[in-house]
Amino acid sequence: MANDEEDAGAKAANDEAAAAKKKERAEKAKAKGEANKKKAAEPAGPAPTYKRDQPPRLKASYDKTIRPAMMKEFSYNSIMQVPRVLKVSVNMGLGKAKDEPKMIDIAVFKLRKGQKIGVMVTLRRERMWEFLDRLVSVALPRVRDFRGVSPRGFDGRGNFTMGIREQIIFPEIEYDKIDSVKGMNISIVTTAETDAEGRALLVHLGMPFRQATPATAGAAQ
């Protein structure tokens, strides 16, 4: 009798264990099925490319108003003579040289080929126009105590380089996600043959150059 009761208890325990395992397998299978379904729903491969319906705002302004205005201003014989922006280069140092002065002891310098000391990106076409539009319309007005961009950055051939002390002037950058505030250099390469033509082009594009005060003008003379 006792043996029959023990056998019945053991059978019941085995049945419970089997039921628990079966339930566990069913839950795992369900979870796996949901994961596969979710994975199948996610797009595979590279992100799709989208074709713009309209040109960038600043590019449209250049074609419709700026180019005709400059053609009249400089008496160009052909519209192809009007200066245009070719590319924009953005350079940023990594900032370690300030904290580790020995990094810039060259040869003495102790710099090695391939050592990462900065980053650079070159923008052309639509991205170039979008960047310039945001730079002159949104970012520069956010600079603290902004009094205009110095016009001294021209290289004598119509190209212009300017420096920015803080990358956070661009609203796309989330302040909480950056490790430190860094500056950058922005070079705008144009087809202008002279600095006067290059400056006129950038003024028409909205670049807020600093206006010389009478005292500054007198000192320059």
Side-chain angles (χ1 to χ4, degrees):
M1 186 78 142
N3 291 336
D4 292 341
E5 291 178 355
E6 290 177 0
D7 292 340
K11 184 178 180 182
N14 291 336
D15 290 342
E16 289 181 2
K21 288 182 179 180
K22 186 176 180 181
K23 183 179 180 180
E24 183 180 357
R25 286 196 298 268
E27 291 177 350
K28 287 183 178 180
K30 183 180 179 180
K32 185 177 181 180
E34 291 178 352
N36 290 336
K37 184 178 179 181
K38 183 178 179 181
K39 185 176 181 180
E42 294 178 353
T49 57
Y50 300 94
K51 187 176 181 180
R52 299 179 65 108
D53 295 329
Q54 298 179 351
R57 185 179 72 94
L58 196 59
K59 175 64 165 60
S61 177
Y62 172 80
D63 291 335
K64 293 179 180 179
T65 60
I66 297 174
R67 181 179 279 183
M70 288 198 65
M71 190 169 181
K72 182 178 180 181
E73 180 180 349
F74 289 92
S75 302
Y76 294 121
N77 296 322
S78 170
I79 198 169
M80 299 303 294
Q81 292 179 275
V82 180
R84 64 184 187 278
V85 181
L86 287 178
K87 61 182 178 179
V88 175
S89 296
V90 182
N91 304 276
M92 177 183 285
L94 297 182
K96 289 186 178 180
K98 181 178 68 174
D99 301 326
E100 302 175 19
K102 292 183 179 180
M103 267 188 70
I104 52 176
D105 288 341
I106 295 206
V108 236
F109 283 142
K110 296 184 180 177
L111 273 179
R112 297 288 185 268
K113 183 177 180 180
Q115 191 172 18
K116 298 177 182 179
I117 59 173
V119 292
M120 181 187 75
V121 64
T122 300
L123 307 174
R124 292 184 174 87
R125 294 181 289 277
E126 293 180 347
R127 290 185 177 181
M128 172 190 76
W129 287 110
E130 291 288 358
F131 178 82
L132 283 175
D133 195 0
R134 297 179 191 188
L135 175 67
V136 300
S137 302
V138 180
L140 289 178
R142 288 163 56 96
V143 176
R144 289 177 295 180
D145 302 324
F146 182 67
R147 298 179 182 177
V149 176
S150 173
R152 298 180 180 179
F154 286 96
D155 64 353
R157 294 171 293 179
N159 305 314
F160 180 70
T161 299
M162 60 180 293
I164 292 178
R165 294 182 179 179
E166 301 177 342
Q167 81 273 39
I168 56 176
I169 63 173
F170 291 95
E172 297 88 349
I173 296 178
E174 298 183 34
Y175 185 81
D176 295 334
K177 292 185 178 181
I178 62 174
D179 56 348
S180 62
V181 176
K182 298 182 179 69
M184 67 181 72
N185 289 327
I186 300 173
S187 298
I188 304 173
V189 180
T190 74
T191 61
E193 296 182 357
T194 65
D195 287 349
E197 292 172 295
R199 178 170 179 171
L201 171 62
L202 295 185
V203 168
H204 281 292
L205 291 174
M207 184 65 72
F209 285 113
R210 186 181 307 154
Q211 298 296 323
T213 61
T216 304
Q221 294 177 355

